Amino acid sequence: MHQKWQHWNTASRKWLWILVVVGILAALPVAYDRYQTESSSNNVELVFNYRGLAEVAAYQAHPEQFIQEQLDKLKAAGITSMAMFESTLDDFKKTRRLMVYSAQDIAQMTQSVVPTDENFTYILFTNEENAGRLTPLIEDTFTSLGINVKPWEFHNQKGLIVETSPEDAALKPMQPDPIAFELLHSKGFNIVPRMSNSLPYDQDAMEKLLAYYEANGVKRILFEGDSVKGFTDNQDKHSLQSFANLLNQHGIGIAAIENTKKPQAGIDKLSYYIHYNVVRLYSLSDKDAQALDEDTIADRFALATKDRNIRMLYINTAPSKSTAKAMMTDSIDNIIKSLNKPGQAIKQMENNGFKMGRAEAFHITDSSAQRYFKLVVVLGAVAFIALMISCFLPLLTLPAFVLGMIGSAGLYVLKPTLFEQALALLVAISAPTVAVVLAIRKVNALNAANAELAPGRRLTHSIVLFIKTSIISMAAIPFVIALLNNITYSLVLNQFRGVSLLHAAPILLIAIFVVLYRGGRPVHQIGKLFRTPITLLWVVAAVLIGAIGFYYLSRTGNGGKVSGIEMAIRPFLENTFHVRPRNKEIIAHPLFLLGLFLSIRYRNAIFIMIFAVIGQLSMVDTFAHIHSPMKISFARDLLGLGIGFVLGLIAIGVWQIAEGCWKKWSPRLKRQ
C-alpha cells in the first residue's frame, strides 16, 4: 500500500506540472486586461500648493505683486493646477484680507477695561471688497456651528464679532478664499481643492460647495488630514455614500497620496463608491524642494510617473530663514529649474510617453471571461504549491493539492481578499524554491557522475541550468499578476502583504534542502547535525549571517532604507538602461551562475545556492509591487538577468584565472 501511495504521488507531479502550464496560459488574458488598464491614462498634472506661495508672499515687501509675478512664472514653467486649502482666519490674516483681535487687544485699542465674562474674536476687514466677499463666508461657517456672529465697526472699517475665543475661531475651516480662487482661475490654473474632515458632515452645504466647484471646472479634490470627508459621521449618517453620490453627480474624482504612514481613513470605501475615479499623487515636501538639486527633483518626478503609476505631482514650498544669506528664502526658483532647464523634468516625462494635463483615472478593463480564467489560475497556483511541498514531503503531494483546493474554496467564500493575497504569496514562494531545488538536484547528479568535467562542459551545464531555473522562477509571475489584478492594488488602496516572508521563506527552504536533503534521509542528517560539536567559528558565522539577514530583511518593502552607495549607483543604472534593474538581482544572479559552475566540481560549493536564490525570488517580488506598470517590471527582470549573466561569466573567468594561479604557485609556496 505504501508503495502504491508513493507511486501515485510521484506520478501526480507530471499532472501538476501540466496544471501549472495551463494556469500560466489562463493568466495571460488577465495580464492583458491589466496592461490595457495601465495604458489608459497618460496625463500628468503638476499641482502647486497655493497656501505655501501665500506664506512666502507674507514675508515680501509687496505681497500681492509678488504673488502675481510668481503665478506667471509658475504658469510659464508648466504648472497647470493650484491646490487650495480650506481657509481659516489665520490664512485670511496672512493674505491681509482681514485682521483678528482678542478682547484684550480691543480694550487696549479703545483704552477701556477687558470684559470679565466675554472672550470673543474681533475681525476687521482691510477694505470694502474683502468685507463684502468674506462676511457671508464667515457668517455661514460659524452660525452653522451654533456660534453667534454680529456686525462690528472700528474707525469706519467694517468688521465682525464672533462669539468664541480667538484660539477656537482660528481652528474652524471655511471654504477656500473666493478672491484667490477667482484670481487663480482667471490666470488659467485648474483648481484642486483640499478638503478636511474636521467639521460635522453637512449634505446641503456639500451639495452647494461641489456645485460651485463643478461650475468652476474642478475635476478632482484632495483630502487633508488622516481621513476623507464624511468618515467620522459615516456610522450615523452614511455620509461616505452620500458624499460619493455628490462627487459622482458633479463628475469630481479624488487623489490618493503616496507613501503616507497609513492610508487616509475611509478612502478605500469612498473610492469604491465613486467607481475608482482616483489617481495616485506624489508629494514633494517643502524641505526637499529647497534642499535637493534640480536634477534630483526632476529624476524623482520622472521615476514617480514612469515606475509607480503616479499621475499627480504635488509641489510644496515654504519660507525659510537663511542666516548665511541674511534673508528669507524659498524654493520656487529651484522648482522652476527642475521642471525646465537644467532639470528638464517635463521633457523627461514627455520622453517617457506622458502628456502634461489634467490627471485622469485609469479606465478599468475587466473582461467578462476574466473570472473564469482566474478559476483556472487558482488551480495552477495550488498545483505549484503542491509541487513545492513534494520537494520536501513527497508522500504529501496529492493531499497537499486536494487540501489546497478545499482551503482555497473556503477562504474565497469567507475572505476573498485574504485568499488572493495568500495564494499569490505561496505561489511566489513556491516557484523560486522549486526552481532552485531542481537545479541543486541536477548539480548533485553531475557532481556524483563526474566531478572532473572540463571547464567548458561545466560552463555549458551552468548556463543551461541558469536559464532553466530562471524560467521556472518566473513562471510564478503570471499567477501573481492574475491573482492580484485589482485596481485597488494599483492605486495602493489595498496592499499585498507578506513581502518579508517572500524574501525569507525561499532562502530558509533552500537552506533546509541543502543541509537535510542532499546527503541521505533528512532524519539521519538531523541526527548528524545534533552530534556535530559547535566551534567558535560556527558562532562567529552565525552572528555574521544573522546580521546580514537582518540588514537584508530591513531592505524589503517600501519602508526599506537605501545605503549611500546604492543612492549613487541608482541614477547611473537609470540613466544607462532607462529602467533600473534591482540591485539584489545584479548581485545574486552572478553568484548563482558562479555557484552552479563551482558546485559541479566542488560538492560543498552548493551552499552558495542558499544566498543565490535571492535573485530568483527577487524577480517574482518585482511583480508584487502592483503599483508599478507590468512593462517596467518585465524590463527590470530581463535587465537583471542580462547584467547578472554577463557579470556571472566574468566571475567564472576570474575564478578560473585565480584557480590556475593557485595551482601553479601553491606548490612553490609549500616548499618554502
Side-chain angles (χ1 to χ4, degrees):
M1 184 63 184
H2 177 78
Q3 289 180 340
K4 283 186 177 180
W5 180 253
Q6 191 173 19
H7 172 74
W8 290 341
N9 280 282
T10 302
S12 68
R13 292 176 194 167
K14 178 179 71 175
W15 296 103
L16 292 176
W17 277 114
I18 292 173
L19 288 177
V20 168
V21 173
V22 172
I24 292 172
L25 294 176
L28 297 181
V30 183
Y32 181 68
D33 282 353
R34 176 177 159 186
Y35 173 76
Q36 286 186 303
T37 298
E38 291 176 345
S39 305
S40 63
S41 173
N42 289 317
N43 283 359
V44 175
E45 187 169 356
L46 299 174
V47 186
F48 197 86
N49 181 355
Y50 179 75
R51 175 179 279 179
L53 177 61
E55 289 176 350
V56 172
Y59 290 90
Q60 307 301 316
H62 303 286
E64 290 187 2
Q65 179 183 333
F66 177 83
I67 286 180
Q68 294 277 357
E69 292 173 351
Q70 300 306 311
L71 287 176
D72 291 338
K73 288 170 63 177
L74 291 168
K75 184 70 176 177
I79 299 291
T80 56
S81 303
M82 284 283 164
M84 293 198 69
F85 284 78
E86 292 173 326
S87 297
T88 63
L89 292 180
D90 188 54
D91 291 325
F92 290 135
K93 183 179 176 182
K94 286 179 180 177
T95 53
R96 289 171 166 75
R97 307 261 189 254
L98 51 77
M99 295 178 286
V100 180
Y101 300 103
S102 65
Q104 186 172 352
D105 294 332
I106 297 301
Q108 291 175 347
M109 291 162 58
T110 58
Q111 296 183 348
S112 59
V113 178
V114 178
T116 57
D117 195 33
E118 283 186 8
N119 187 20
F120 294 161
T121 302
Y122 295 81
I123 297 171
L124 201 61
F125 297 104
T126 53
N127 58 43
E128 284 288 334
E129 181 189 4
N130 292 336
R133 299 297 301 277
L134 300 183
T135 294
L137 180 62
I138 295 171
E139 287 178 339
D140 288 348
T141 300
F142 286 98
T143 54
S144 68
L145 298 172
I147 299 171
N148 190 40
V149 180
K150 57 187 179 183
W152 172 65
E153 283 193 7
F154 185 77
H155 288 240
N156 296 322
Q157 289 290 106
K158 290 184 178 180
L160 297 170
I161 299 176
V162 181
E163 296 186 355
T164 187
S165 67
E167 293 77 13
D168 183 63
L171 297 173
K172 302 298 186 284
M174 293 170 265
Q175 293 181 21
D177 181 352
I179 300 172
F181 193 104
E182 291 179 6
L183 169 66
L184 297 175
H185 200 262
S186 68
K187 286 188 174 289
F189 289 104
N190 302 316
I191 308 299
V192 180
R194 297 207 63 170
M195 194 174 287
S196 70
N197 187 42
S198 54
L199 297 182
Y201 183 78
D202 186 329
Q203 182 76 351
D204 293 335
M206 193 53 58
E207 159 66 32
K208 182 180 177 182
L209 179 61
L210 293 185
Y212 171 72
Y213 284 160
E214 182 186 15
N216 285 277
V218 171
K219 292 295 182 183
R220 202 161 299 280
I221 61 173
L222 178 62
F223 298 107
E224 178 187 3
D226 298 329
S227 60
V228 303
K229 188 70 177 178
F231 173 76
T232 306
D233 301 315
N234 188 54
Q235 189 170 357
D236 299 327
K237 300 180 179 179
H238 302 289
S239 45
L240 284 180
Q241 180 69 75
S242 301
F243 181 46
N245 292 340
L246 290 177
L247 290 174
N248 293 331
Q249 177 185 332
H250 294 286
I252 297 175
I254 64 175
I257 305 172
E258 181 192 50
N259 282 344
T260 52
K261 291 182 179 179
K262 60 179 182 179
Q264 291 170 309
I267 196 169
D268 51 346
K269 277 190 177 182
L270 183 62
S271 299
Y272 173 76
Y273 292 147
I274 63 172
H275 315 297
Y276 297 106
N277 185 4
V278 184
V279 298
R280 296 191 71 220
L281 177 146
Y282 167 73
S283 178
L284 180 73
S285 70
D286 57 273
K287 291 182 180 178
D288 285 345
Q290 187 146 358
L292 300 177
D293 61 67
E294 303 95 334
D295 291 335
T296 303
I297 294 174
D299 287 342
R300 283 196 180 189
F301 287 168
L303 287 174
T305 52
K306 177 170 65 72
D307 287 9
R308 303 197 301 278
N309 279 333
I310 298 293
R311 294 296 179 267
M312 291 186 83
L313 299 172
Y314 188 92
I315 304 168
N316 290 284
T317 191
S320 177
K321 293 180 181 179
S322 174
T323 54
K325 297 180 180 179
M327 62 184 295
M328 298 296 297
T329 61
D330 60 76
S331 58
I332 297 174
D333 286 339
N334 194 38
I335 290 163
I336 291 172
K337 291 177 182 177
S338 302
L339 296 175
N340 298 297
K341 293 182 179 180
Q344 296 189 325
I346 292 176
K347 185 178 180 180
Q348 288 187 50
M349 290 185 282
E350 288 176 341
N351 289 341
N352 291 336
F354 296 103
K355 296 184 295 184
M356 299 301 107
R358 280 193 163 172
E360 298 173 350
F362 289 115
H363 176 73
I364 302 170
T365 301
D366 189 359
S367 60
S368 57
Q370 189 175 131
R371 66 178 65 184
Y372 303 108
F373 286 126
K374 281 191 174 183
L375 288 175
V376 181
V377 169
V378 169
L379 197 67
V382 175
F384 222 148
I385 296 165
L387 284 168
M388 180 188 69
I389 293 172
S390 74
C391 294
F392 300 89
L393 301 168
L395 294 178
L396 296 182
T397 305
L398 276 174
F401 177 73
V402 174
L403 291 174
M405 290 304 300
I406 295 172
S408 295
L411 198 57
Y412 175 76
V413 173
L414 296 174
K415 293 187 176 180
T417 300
L418 178 61
F419 157 72
E420 63 189 15
Q421 291 198 20
L423 195 60
L425 174 63
L426 289 174
V427 77
I429 291 171
S430 299
T433 302
V434 170
V436 177
V437 164
L438 294 177
I440 291 172
R441 285 176 176 171
K442 180 64 177 177
V443 167
N444 285 341
L446 291 170
N447 182 276
N450 185 4
E452 298 300 323
L453 281 175
R457 292 284 306 280
R458 289 160 59 198
L459 179 61
T460 302
H461 281 299
S462 300
I463 292 173
V464 171
L465 272 177
F466 177 76
I467 295 171
K468 285 183 176 179
T469 304
S470 299
I471 290 173
I472 295 172
S473 295
M474 294 177 74
I477 291 171
F479 292 102
V480 172
I481 291 172
L483 289 167
L484 301 179
N485 182 40
N486 191 305
I487 192 64
T488 59
Y489 295 109
S490 297
L491 297 173
V492 198
L493 301 170
N494 196 5
Q495 285 191 296
F496 175 57
R497 308 294 176 183
V499 173
S500 295
L501 185 59
L502 171 57
H503 280 79
I507 300 172
L508 179 61
L509 290 170
I510 295 303
I512 291 172
F513 188 85
V514 168
V515 173
L516 300 183
Y517 286 80
R518 216 169 39 107
R521 296 178 62 185
V523 175
H524 294 161
Q525 293 298 105
I526 292 172
K528 185 178 178 181
L529 279 176
F530 276 112
R531 291 191 298 271
T532 303
I534 298 175
T535 64
L536 179 61
L537 181 62
W538 278 47
V539 175
V540 173
V543 172
L544 183 62
I545 292 171
I548 294 172
F550 177 79
Y551 173 75
Y552 167 71
L553 290 177
S554 73
R555 288 293 320 279
T556 65
N558 293 328
K561 295 182 179 179
V562 183
S563 66
I565 296 175
E566 287 178 275
M567 288 301 292
I569 294 174
R570 282 184 173 188
F572 169 77
L573 293 172
E574 178 69 28
N575 295 331
T576 304
F577 301 106
H578 191 61
V579 175
R580 177 176 57 83
R582 305 186 78 180
N583 294 334
K584 288 191 283 286
E585 294 167 34
I586 294 176
I587 296 170
H589 285 328
L591 186 65
F592 188 78
L593 192 56
L594 177 63
L596 291 171
F597 181 79
L598 296 178
S599 299
I600 295 172
R601 181 170 184 179
Y602 306 105
R603 189 171 185 274
N604 286 334
I606 203 70
F607 283 92
I608 294 174
M609 297 295 104
I610 297 173
F611 304 99
V613 72
I614 291 172
Q616 301 298 310
L617 68 89
S618 178
M619 291 192 296
V620 182
D621 173 65
T622 297
F623 285 83
H625 297 76
I626 304 105
H627 58 272
S628 293
M630 283 195 309
K631 61 182 181 181
I632 296 295
S633 297
F634 274 118
R636 279 182 171 173
D637 277 4
L638 294 176
L639 273 172
L641 281 170
I643 296 171
F645 179 74
V646 172
L647 293 178
L649 293 179
I650 293 172
I652 291 171
V654 171
W655 175 270
Q656 284 297 98
I657 294 171
E659 190 177 49
C661 292
W662 175 256
K663 286 181 179 179
K664 182 177 180 180
W665 294 102
S666 60
R668 298 182 184 182
L669 293 173
K670 289 179 181 178
R671 286 197 297 268
Q672 293 177 357

